[in-house]
Amino acid sequence: MDVITEIEREQIISLLREGKRLDGRGFDDVRPVSVTQDRITKAEGSAEARLGKTRVLAGVKIQVGKPFPDTPDEGVVITSSELFPIASPTFELGPPGEQAIELARVVDRGIRHSNAISRSDLCIKAGAFVYLVLVDLYILADHGNLIDVASIAAVSALMKTKLPQVKITDEGEAEVLETTTSLKMGPPPLTVTFGKIGDSIFVDPNLAEERVLEARISIAIDGDDTIAAIQKWGATPFSRQEVTDCIERASKIVKKLRKQLPKG
Amino acid sequence: MVNKMSEKKAEAEQPLIDAKGRRADGRKLDELRPIKLQVGNLSRADGSAYIEHGRNKIVAAVYGPRELHPRHLAQSDRVLLRVIYRMATFSVSDRKRPAPSRREHEISMVLRQALEPMLFLKMYPRAVIDVFIMVLEADGGSRCASVTAASLALADAGIPMRGLVAGVAAGKIDGKVVLDLSDIEDKIGDADVPLAMAPDRGEITLLQMDGKLTPAEFSEALRMGEEGIHQIQEMQRAVLLEKYAQIREKIGEDKDAPKEMEEKPEEEPKVTKKRIKRAKTEKKDAKPKTTKKSKSSKTKDEGSETKE
């Protein structure tokens, strides 16, 4: 459990009441963002994303496997994450807990329900072989708002992903070839998270703000400006007006964010 | 489920050493792969290090000495050293399953035992020092590169140590003893000898072997490994000294910058030059002491600074 001093907590709250933030940002300002793609040569795709001092490394591995019975002509995209203790003194060893699972599932839903990757493109032979696209997220430094950084890392890694070509032999087996093709991808979904403290709702909470947070809402905006996923967290409610405001603000923030991210 | 082929057949048929005595990646028999070291790369750890050794990419984080949970593991007369070695799922050709494997458990153990002799365990009874190692990309010899990084991360955390440990593998490929096996040399070579040492103390703290070697070949591998470890140790020292030179420069600037700025605002470049020179001479002085007795060398450095 992260702790925060009483004086810092009070400072954050009283600044927010005046419409200010501890690090000087406005309520709709995201910390500086940067992305390095192709960090890991053994991964089929990889990227490290930074938002302020928060760093997440995403790697993509491709496997050839069977489709799910209810979607025989669609490939599979699965995102998982691990909060290994290198990223924070409060992360503990052991199987993924609540936070790691929520993180992976929110990022996963954003990608899964977006139009960016067509899952029928990932079908090799209907009912028999499809590509499994496995995105793994590793946090390198937690300075707040892991969800948004992880979503940037994941889509940036997918943009660079190479699919090994597969030949179906006469015996009906799948043979993985040395040659590759690029994974086709449209404008990616991006997730924007708002924190709520009292009546203040602000984007991209940093670590200090997260420790005071009463609730947050993450909104994945797809390439065509539709909403692909939403997650509300925390035992403090939002009003309907607050939620619709957040969606409007998220859409504007994502437009700006896209300009700062790699295009392919 | 059909997995990707793990090894390229073509590679296995190529000789590992060519007619001119060069290895597949162009190295001589006793040559290390390129190594890059960094300290303080993980912003939330108490100490951290990053190593690129060949294509290995490994980060190590150190926390502590800190309170130990669960409590029943506490030892009343010494600190517990906990070392965890993990590989990212995408660090190898075929995706590694996320749960820790038998291999990772064993390597965690030998790494702990490689580092433990360097610590003064009785300084921190009942506490824990945690060392977390994450292999982001593996390229043969990742456990040896992990020792090098973990030892640096412990030093970066300011934990007093008897010395630095560094690691490298030696082995045998195409009938010849060689230093620092690459991934492919490890997989299709004749023998692999992972080794870690505190070279200035002459202590071997990690030693494993698999394959087939004559006793004479084994001693040659050991000799070659020790030579390689000496070279890596020099790089470890250099990166730590660099870190402290930078801190010293920063502190120095903060102390006298306002004064100098007021007097001669235009001559900033000259001042920096002087400062770099000073840092360099101090670097030389401090060299033999930094790793052995971090406490005493620290007080000495501080003393020399006030003199100047």
Side-chain angles (χ1 to χ4, degrees), chain A residues 28-78:
Chain A
D28 282 0
D29 293 343
V30 170
R31 289 170 292 174
V33 63
S34 69
V35 173
T36 316
Q37 286 167 303
D38 292 331
R39 282 274 278 124
I40 307 295
T41 38
K42 282 197 179 165
E44 271 79 55
S46 64
E48 182 183 327
R50 293 175 186 234
L51 196 57
K53 281 161 76 185
T54 300
R55 293 165 64 198
V56 177
L57 177 66
V60 182
K61 291 302 286 182
I62 305 292
Q63 292 178 353
V64 176
K66 285 197 164 55
F68 289 121
D70 54 342
T71 51
D73 56 351
E74 287 186 6
V76 179
V77 183
I78 303 171

Side-chain angles (χ1 to χ4, degrees), chain A residues 40-42 44 55 59 61 64 82 84-89 93 134 136 138 141-143 176 207 211, chain B residues 1-2 4-5 41-44 55 57 63 66 84 86 88-93 95 132 137-138 183:
Chain A
I40 307 295
T41 38
K42 282 197 179 165
E44 271 79 55
R55 293 165 64 198
K61 291 302 286 182
V64 176
E82 189 177 15
F84 194 64
I86 54 171
S88 165
L93 283 174
L134 305 169
D136 283 292
Y138 287 89
D142 177 15
H143 291 270
V176 180
L207 193 64
R211 287 164 174 165
Chain B
M1 195 173 293
V2 190
K4 251 190 83 180
M5 285 184 308
N41 52 304
L42 296 172
S43 52
R44 294 219 51 205
R55 270 167 53 193
K57 296 187 179 75
Y63 296 95
R66 63 179 177 179
I84 304 290
R86 288 291 291 280
T89 52
F90 45 76
S91 63
V92 283
S93 314
R95 180 174 184 266
F132 299 111
E137 182 155 9
D183 204 9

Side-chain angles (χ1 to χ4, degrees), chain A residues 92-205:
Chain A
E92 283 181 17
L93 283 174
E98 209 175 79
Q99 196 194 353
I101 291 171
E102 190 206 20
L103 170 66
R105 284 183 54 86
V106 173
V107 176
D108 192 62
R109 287 209 299 271
I111 295 169
R112 197 182 286 245
H113 297 288
S114 122
N115 299 323
I117 298 172
S118 147
R119 277 192 305 286
S120 47
D121 280 357
L122 297 173
C123 178
I124 300 166
K125 191 182 173 205
F129 300 110
V130 296
Y131 288 112
L132 311 178
V133 179
L134 305 169
V135 184
D136 283 292
L137 301 166
Y138 287 89
I139 320 302
L140 298 178
D142 177 15
H143 291 270
N145 197 9
L146 291 177
I147 291 178
D148 296 3
V149 195
S151 110
I152 294 169
V155 297
S156 305
L158 285 166
M159 282 176 192
K160 286 288 184 183
T161 295
K162 302 261 182 271
L163 298 173
Q165 290 191 306
V166 174
K167 196 176 95 186
I168 306 293
T169 62
D170 297 337
E171 290 84 42
E173 303 266 325
E175 190 191 326
V176 180
L177 305 173
E178 291 288 323
T179 49
T180 58
T181 56
S182 294
L183 174 70
K184 266 189 265 168
M185 200 173 167
L190 288 171
T191 304
V192 171
T193 297
F194 295 90
K196 181 176 179 182
I197 298 172
D199 292 328
S200 310
I201 298 181
F202 47 89
V203 78
D204 184 23

Side-chain angles (χ1 to χ4, degrees), chain B residues 221-236:
Chain B
L222 219 50
R223 188 200 62 76
M224 238 183 215
E226 184 168 357
E227 181 50 42
I229 284 170
H230 270 289
Q231 293 173 38
I232 298 171
Q233 175 109 101
E234 284 310 307
M235 299 179 215
Q236 286 178 310

